[in-house]
Amino acid sequence: MPKEMDFLPANTLGRLLGYKGISFERATLVIHMRSTQAAFDLTQCCEFPQLNERWYGSQLTLTLNNASQSISFLKKQNAQNFVNALNKQIAISLSENFSILVAIWESAVISQYPRQSCLSELQQICSTLSKGFESDPVTWKQFLSDALIKQIKEITQFNPVSYKALQQHHEKIHLQMRETFLDNVESNKLTLEQRLGVLRSDDFNMVLAAAGTGKTSVMVAKALDLIDRGVAESDEILILAYNKAAANELKARLDKSSKKVGITLDKTPYISTFHSLGRQVLSDASISTYMSVFVEDPLKLKQWVTEWLLNYLSGDISRLVDFISLTPEPVDPFTIKTQAEYEAYVRDNELRTLNDELVKGYQELLIANFMYLSGIPYTYEAKYVSKRRIEVGFDYTPDFHLDGTDIYIEHFGIDRKGNTRPDIDAHQYNEEMKSKRALHIECSTMLVETFHYEWIEETLTSGLEKKLKNLGVEFSPIDSKQLLEKLQSSGKIGNWTDLLLKALSSIRVERLDFDSMLTRFKRANISQPQKYTVLLNDLHEAYVQELEEQNAIDFDDMIIRSIETIDKGLFTPKWTYVLVDEFQDISTARMDLVKAIIKRGPTPSLTVVGDDWQSIYRFSGGKLELTTRFDELVSPYTETKLQKTFRYNNSIADMAGLFIMENPEQYKKYIVTHTKVDSSQVYLLDDKVGVKDGLYQRVVEVVSKIKSVDSTATIAVIGRYNYLLNESKAALVKNKLVENVSLWSFHKSKGLEADYCILIGFSQGKLGFPNENVDQTVIEALLPTLDSYPHSEERRLLYVGLTRAKKKSYIIGDPTSPSAFISELLAPKYEVSIHSKAFHERYRKIFKCPNCEAGYLKLINGKFGGFYACSTGKGCRVGKARVCTECGAPSVDNRNSSDCNNQDCRHSMKICEQCGRPMRLRNGKYGEFWGCSGYGLKNDQCKNT
């Protein structure tokens, strides 16, 4: 109101209140003054006017656009009539405005699921209505309709707005309204958790579904619910599946369920794999989608990489030498902290020389390869000229012997101060070094010494070259052409090609450039990270150039280039709801595509469905942290857990759940099962200890037993590697038991089920389970981050296998070389039913290798008779044990005797402390005495008594 109005004489105001100077013109209040007039747009009123009594008369306050305007000095007797007339006019505008606010609220909170992104707007609506209504409820009720007042009251009850309260309000309404639909949309009535998964459509939603809890039912029901309620048209819904088979299953389930609840679909939601979606985006943007020959024929891609590698290496001899030094990846033994860690490193890494020997460490590998490249014939760990023992239980074999000479090379693992690896007794090690030197002097052989510190100082091979040349050793370096031929014939080029193919795939799916590769290699403490980065970056650039020359794309391009197409505005997503299946295995590139759709689309609601417990595809780019750190890496979200399963019983659920949740990085889920049992339905069996092909005989035995008690049952044999499945199948075919028996790898078993499952392949090593193959640390560095819990992805793989079984699960393991999983499952808390005595603690102690941390002794029948070999292989200092002549158990050598490991036997045989041969009781001129059985040997006589 103009300020001059306050200064007009009372008689003028009196005339105004007699309506002589006031008019309503199209919802506008016009007040005429002496020389001017003021106009008020009543549609801007957000409250009814307030009339207050003052000593000088009445004062009228109007609130326009949240700003107050006052008219003073009004005559009291006319003021109320004037306000009533004004209220009637304002009520028209307020009703329209409030109806709009109510409609927005109804749409955002009732019709659609409330979204966190709308929270501030909803709070403003609620606050506006609450403030006005609470300030003058009588006037509101007088001038607004009863129906509108009722709606306003329903809204104002939420002031101040809580997102959780809005969620619960929406869910309560629709759980009741949609009960018939949710009861009938799938073959079984949906559980409460499933129903909530269907209804929740925040901006970002996560449905965490444990194995067998019906995540596909939720996805199908969610899409149909959106369509049936008119929230979205069919073609406004996008469903992304992990692979083609999953996409086809979703299409079939959607079609079946829509008919079941009587929904006619003129169009179906867009159900697609990521690759198919990417190709469609490119096609719609008129970008060529001609597929590379590499896609149609992976062998051609391998051939191309092989040719690239050969050209790359032959073009520069220094590249060839570098490449040899980079594979396998260098490891500093002093960074290995424990004996068990060292044993696992040697056992699970194939440190194979150019001369095709397996050695015990990377530095020995460098020495062997140096001599091979220098044309120096040698033998690795050849027998010494005299059978002697310097270390207890271990015949002395120098690291290298130069063929045709008396020259031996010993590589000593010490620094310049004589320190050793943390797990080695430095004093004892240095004393053994002195004993070795003394033995060479005694036997008149030449000992050449190399040291760990020379490798640290980068003088290991150059120093060795000088030492050997000083001894007159002839060098005859192999030329690069001959070396390449050797590398090809030995299969190393093929192995390197496989490594490069994995690296190329990781680079593409993780969308890595030079800097990000280098950063990852440094973070993973990869030796010579710059060399690796240059090599792999050159490979990637050459590959991209090859695709350009083909004028073609590959599978990765379908996703990578579709992201660029959307970001450039060449394709505009139209989907209002996006559902992503198997989210736990989504890659960086796939997630970037989803983000592009969300960013450029009409603000769609994203629902991701998956199970962090079943994330098993890291090797192909699966980035689990996008699930476990979704709120940090993507957005805050609404979570629903599916925790009731109809597939398996409580025994399997409890055991598998307890096992997977040992990893604190996994979400906590507590599975409820429809089927209840009173005893363990997970059985642990041995692989018929010591019997040839015992594992496959045991598989036949279990299958036969199952069929005898449940003839129509479905059975699955699940193995970590295909060779285990092939051998199992051959044994089953031979015994005519293959009918109704499926053979699955653990990876391919995901999503499948059988009445009974037999899990095989549980032994130590790189072909065991868990797979402890760590010889491709470069690939590990390129892959998505893995949580630090031991064997975390392998644990999830076992969880997948265990939860395929509806009734019973049988685990067949090797008790003489038990995997880490078998050792863990023996703990009482898992309540596994142990059906083989070989797994009981007393029996296991018999076969435990006393010379290393994790090894077990396994009987080997060699050409000179039986002996026990340690499962740790070269990682164990001794590695072997005799067969006890009394009971057949392992007999372990000490300094003066070989003692049976079986506590019930404890037979002891005297052995020579110098050479390890058996001692014999003899008669001499002074009576009986013990003498070495090597006394009568002509070439290596031992006179120890």
Side-chain angles (χ1 to χ4, degrees):
M1 187 71 182
K3 289 185 178 179
E4 61 187 272
M5 187 64 184
D6 292 343
F7 301 101
L8 291 176
N11 60 345
T12 304
L13 285 174
R15 288 197 302 273
L16 288 174
L17 288 174
Y19 300 101
K20 293 179 180 178
I22 296 177
S23 63
F24 293 110
E25 300 173 7
R26 295 183 180 178
T28 301
L29 170 65
V30 181
I31 300 180
H32 302 277
M33 295 167 280
R34 286 179 178 176
S35 58
T36 184
Q37 66 182 30
F40 300 93
D41 183 357
L42 299 182
T43 63
Q44 301 303 312
C45 283
C46 47
E47 298 178 13
F48 286 103
Q50 299 295 313
L51 186 65
N52 299 300
E53 301 299 328
R54 298 288 185 264
W55 65 269
Y56 49 76
S58 298
Q59 183 185 54
L60 180 69
T61 302
L62 289 172
T63 303
L64 304 170
N65 287 327
N66 295 315
S68 295
Q69 303 285 346
S70 296
I71 305 172
S72 302
F73 303 106
L74 303 179
K75 287 185 177 180
K76 296 181 180 180
Q77 62 268 33
N78 295 322
Q80 189 60 56
N81 292 332
F82 170 67
V83 170
N84 288 339
L86 191 59
N87 280 342
K88 289 179 181 179
Q89 187 65 41
I90 291 173
I92 297 171
S93 299
L94 284 181
S95 293
E96 292 176 356
N97 292 339
F98 292 165
S99 294
I100 291 172
L101 296 181
V102 168
I104 293 173
W105 180 276
E106 291 282 332
S107 175
V109 176
I110 308 301
S111 298
Q112 300 183 63
Y113 195 81
R115 296 196 188 188
Q116 294 186 56
S117 60
C118 299
L119 198 56
S120 60
E121 183 181 356
L122 293 172
Q123 175 61 64
Q124 186 176 357
I125 292 173
C126 189
S127 177
T128 298
L129 296 176
S130 296
K131 180 181 177 183
F133 182 71
E134 291 170 5
S135 66
D136 192 5
V138 174
T139 304
W140 281 54
K141 291 178 180 178
Q142 180 181 354
F143 291 97
L144 297 179
S145 70
D146 292 343
L148 184 57
I149 290 294
K150 181 181 179 182
Q151 291 174 314
I152 289 171
K153 283 184 175 181
E154 288 176 354
I155 294 173
T156 57
Q157 68 177 317
F158 291 98
N159 192 49
V161 170
S162 155
Y163 183 66
K164 185 174 183 181
L166 297 184
Q167 285 181 301
Q168 292 174 342
H169 181 61
H170 178 96
E171 290 163 6
K172 181 180 179 181
I173 291 171
H174 287 279
L175 283 173
Q176 184 175 352
M177 286 178 56
R178 304 294 292 165
E179 183 176 10
T180 301
F181 171 86
L182 297 169
D183 280 349
N184 295 286
V185 67
E186 283 287 281
S187 54
N188 293 315
K189 290 183 179 181
L190 298 186
T191 66
L192 176 59
E193 290 176 331
Q194 288 175 318
R195 291 166 192 246
L196 292 175
V198 169
L199 297 177
R200 289 172 176 167
S201 294
D202 192 2
D203 299 288
F204 296 89
N205 310 272
M206 182 183 294
V207 178
L208 287 170
T213 56
K215 68 178 179 63
T216 304
S217 293
V218 169
M219 296 186 73
V220 169
K222 188 180 191 72
L224 292 175
D225 178 67
L226 292 169
I227 296 166
D228 192 39
R229 287 196 286 133
V231 176
E233 298 293 331
S234 294
D235 56 2
E236 292 178 324
I237 300 172
L238 169 65
I239 303 177
L240 290 168
Y242 186 79
N243 54 36
K244 190 174 181 179
N248 289 336
E249 181 189 359
L250 281 164
K251 290 175 184 176
R253 291 276 294 272
L254 192 74
D255 180 63
K256 179 181 178 181
S257 292
S258 64
K259 293 175 181 175
K260 191 171 186 293
V261 289
I263 298 175
T264 302
L265 297 176
D266 296 328
K267 298 178 182 178
T268 59
Y270 192 91
I271 302 175
S272 170
T273 65
F274 280 88
H275 290 113
S276 295
L277 172 63
R279 193 173 190 180
Q280 188 63 51
V281 167
L282 295 177
S283 178
D284 288 353
S286 300
I287 296 172
S288 173
T289 57
Y290 176 76
M291 299 304 297
S292 167
V293 65
F294 296 153
V295 174
E296 306 299 331
D297 188 354
L299 182 59
K300 283 188 166 57
L301 174 59
K302 185 170 184 177
Q303 290 171 341
W304 180 87
V305 173
T306 301
E307 290 174 8
W308 178 87
L309 177 60
L310 290 172
N311 291 332
Y312 186 85
L313 297 178
S314 61
D316 187 340
I317 188 64
S318 64
R319 288 178 176 175
L320 184 54
V321 174
D322 280 347
F323 206 90
I324 291 171
S325 72
L326 290 173
T327 50
E329 194 267 321
V331 173
D332 183 348
F334 275 47
T335 62
I336 296 174
K337 304 302 182 185
T338 66
Q339 182 181 347
E341 189 180 341
Y342 172 76
E343 292 166 5
Y345 164 70
V346 175
R347 181 192 67 207
D348 301 329
N349 287 274
E350 188 165 286
L351 300 170
R352 191 170 292 279
T353 70
L354 294 173
N355 208 27
D356 211 31
E357 306 110 341
L358 280 175
V359 295
K360 294 196 294 284
Y362 177 76
Q363 293 171 24
E364 286 189 352
L365 183 73
L366 286 182
I367 294 171
N369 286 345
F370 164 75
M371 289 195 289
Y372 180 85
L373 293 171
S374 300
I376 302 173
Y378 69 90
T379 302
Y380 178 67
E381 290 190 333
K383 290 183 179 180
Y384 189 54
V385 293
S386 177
K387 181 175 168 57
R388 297 291 183 91
R389 287 193 169 183
I390 294 173
E391 302 169 64
V392 174
F394 184 67
D395 287 353
Y396 175 57
T397 53
D399 294 329
F400 300 96
H401 175 225
L402 272 56
D403 296 349
T405 74
D406 61 356
I407 300 173
Y408 294 85
I409 300 174
E410 278 282 15
H411 182 66
F412 294 125
I414 60 170
D415 63 15
R416 284 200 174 272
K417 294 181 180 180
N419 297 315
T420 58
R421 275 195 342 252
D423 61 299
I424 292 176
D425 185 320
H427 174 74
Q428 180 181 338
Y429 189 87
N430 280 273
E431 289 300 311
E432 289 171 353
M433 286 171 55
K434 293 177 184 177
S435 297
K436 290 176 182 178
R437 290 165 180 158
L439 179 60
H440 281 278
I441 292 172
E442 177 190 338
C443 296
S444 300
T445 52
M446 179 61 65
L447 176 62
V448 176
E449 300 180 14
T450 59
F451 302 92
H452 165 76
Y453 61 76
E454 292 177 312
W455 179 68
I456 294 293
E457 297 165 5
E458 298 185 358
T459 61
L460 177 60
T461 55
S462 60
L464 179 59
E465 181 177 6
K466 292 177 183 177
K467 295 169 189 175
L468 294 180
K469 284 184 176 179
N470 288 338
L471 292 174
V473 175
E474 293 186 3
F475 284 65
S476 180
I478 187 170
D479 64 52
S480 58
K481 183 179 179 181
Q482 184 182 357
L483 177 57
L484 278 175
E485 290 175 355
K486 166 67 177 178
L487 293 173
Q488 283 185 283
S489 64
S490 66
K492 284 193 177 293
I493 292 292
N495 292 337
W496 292 348
T497 296
D498 291 338
L499 182 73
L500 292 179
L501 281 167
K502 291 179 182 178
L504 182 60
S505 174
S506 299
I507 292 167
R508 303 277 286 164
V509 79
E510 280 285 275
R511 305 185 72 190
L512 302 176
D513 57 16
F514 186 97
D515 291 338
S516 53
M517 272 191 278
L518 183 59
T519 298
R520 290 197 179 196
F521 288 145
K522 288 180 177 178
R523 188 172 61 206
N525 294 318
I526 299 295
S527 179
Q528 306 178 76
Q530 186 77 21
K531 288 183 178 179
Y532 275 113
T533 305
V534 170
L535 168 71
L536 296 178
N537 192 63
D538 286 350
L539 170 64
H540 185 233
E541 288 183 349
Y543 178 74
V544 172
Q545 179 64 33
E546 173 64 22
L547 290 180
E548 289 178 359
E549 291 175 2
Q550 292 181 15
N551 189 28
I553 62 172
D554 65 1
F555 279 124
D556 295 311
D557 273 330
M558 290 182 188
I559 296 176
I560 294 170
R561 296 186 66 183
S562 65
I563 297 168
E564 297 168 354
T565 300
I566 294 172
D567 285 341
K568 290 176 181 177
L570 302 176
F571 176 90
T572 303
K574 305 296 184 184
W575 300 291
T576 56
Y577 289 87
V578 178
L579 284 68
V580 181
D581 193 15
E582 303 290 4
F583 187 75
Q584 75 281 344
D585 293 317
I586 197 168
S587 67
T588 295
R590 293 181 183 197
M591 189 67 228
D592 286 347
L593 177 56
V594 172
K595 287 179 178 178
I597 291 170
I598 298 297
K599 181 180 179 181
R600 299 286 180 175
T603 320
S605 168
L606 172 66
T607 299
V608 300
V609 183
D611 182 8
D612 62 300
W613 291 4
Q614 298 186 76
S615 176
I616 58 174
Y617 287 107
R618 177 173 173 262
F619 66 87
S620 60
K623 199 177 184 77
L624 178 58
E625 62 188 287
L626 285 169
T627 299
T628 56
R629 294 170 54 205
F630 189 93
D631 56 346
E632 177 185 343
L633 298 177
V634 183
S635 173
Y637 64 97
T638 292
E639 178 183 280
T640 307
K641 290 181 179 178
L642 305 185
Q643 300 176 109
K644 182 169 184 178
T645 180
F646 294 89
R647 178 190 296 162
Y648 42 88
N649 53 56
N650 56 302
S651 170
I652 294 173
D654 293 346
M655 179 265 175
L658 183 62
F659 178 78
I660 198 68
M661 285 192 289
E662 283 292 299
N663 182 353
E665 293 294 319
Q666 308 283 176
Y667 283 106
K668 300 299 181 186
K669 296 191 282 284
Y670 299 97
I671 309 306
V672 176
T673 64
H674 180 73
T675 304
K676 308 288 185 182
V677 294
D678 296 327
S679 59
S680 174
Q681 301 300 302
V682 182
Y683 303 90
L684 179 59
L685 308 172
D686 66 55
D687 59 355
K688 296 181 104 42
V689 184
V691 179
K692 184 181 179 182
D693 295 330
L695 169 61
Y696 310 113
Q697 291 183 40
R698 183 70 84 190
V699 169
V700 167
E701 179 184 298
V702 175
V703 170
S704 179
K705 181 69 174 179
I706 293 170
K707 285 178 175 287
S708 70
V709 296
D710 194 349
S711 59
T712 61
T714 56
I715 304 170
V717 179
I718 308 177
R720 184 66 178 82
Y721 307 101
N722 287 331
Y723 80 90
L724 294 169
L725 301 175
N726 294 336
E727 293 293 334
S728 296
K729 183 176 182 179
L732 291 169
V733 169
K734 182 179 179 181
N735 288 273
K736 299 180 180 180
L737 291 170
V738 77
E739 186 178 356
N740 281 350
V741 179
S742 301
L743 295 109
W744 305 326
S745 69
F746 276 92
H747 283 99
K748 291 183 179 178
S749 73
K750 192 170 181 301
L752 305 176
E753 60 183 35
D755 293 323
Y756 303 88
C757 289
I758 304 167
L759 281 54
I760 63 175
F762 292 82
S763 59
Q764 292 178 352
K766 63 186 300 179
L767 289 179
F769 189 31
N771 180 336
E772 299 182 36
N773 182 5
V774 291
D775 65 347
Q776 293 183 338
T777 50
V778 171
I779 304 301
E780 286 290 309
L782 294 174
L783 289 172
T785 306
L786 186 66
D787 56 278
S788 59
Y789 197 81
H791 314 304
S792 58
E793 185 159 64
E794 295 286 288
R795 293 181 80 85
R796 294 190 286 270
L797 203 55
L798 177 52
Y799 170 81
V800 168
L802 286 168
T803 54
R804 299 310 95 194
K806 295 180 181 180
K807 298 180 180 179
K808 298 178 187 292
S809 187
Y810 299 87
I811 300 172
I812 302 177
D814 182 350
T816 61
S817 181
S819 78
F821 287 165
I822 293 296
S823 297
E824 181 177 349
L825 293 177
L826 289 170
K829 66 180 180 180
Y830 288 113
E831 297 183 355
V832 173
S833 181
I834 303 172
H835 272 236
S836 299
K837 72 172 185 178
F839 287 111
H840 291 281
E841 185 175 1
R842 183 178 180 83
Y843 187 87
R844 293 179 75 220
K845 282 183 177 179
I846 295 175
F847 297 94
K848 178 69 187 73
C849 177
N851 300 305
C852 63
E853 290 288 326
Y856 280 79
L857 297 166
K858 193 168 187 175
L859 184 63
I860 305 294
N861 292 311
K863 62 180 180 179
F864 299 113
F867 65 94
Y868 283 93
C870 179
S871 60
T872 303
K874 287 188 176 296
C876 179
R877 296 184 75 192
V878 179
K880 293 182 180 180
R882 305 174 198 264
V883 177
C884 175
T885 56
E886 295 293 320
C887 73
S891 185
V892 179
D893 287 4
N894 297 301
R895 177 71 68 182
N896 300 305
S897 63
S898 183
D899 301 321
C900 180
N901 242 18
N902 184 354
Q903 295 295 319
D904 294 331
C905 175
R906 297 305 295 164
H907 174 69
S908 182
M909 176 179 70
K910 291 185 181 296
I911 60 173
C912 177
E913 62 181 12
Q914 290 188 12
C915 70
R917 297 184 181 99
M919 298 291 278
R920 298 282 186 262
L921 186 62
R922 304 180 186 278
N923 287 308
K925 61 181 179 179
Y926 301 111
E928 291 184 332
F929 68 96
W930 289 95
C932 179
S933 58
Y935 180 81
L937 298 177
K938 294 181 180 179
N939 297 326
D940 188 21
Q941 185 182 47
C942 180
K943 299 181 180 179
N944 185 38
T945 62

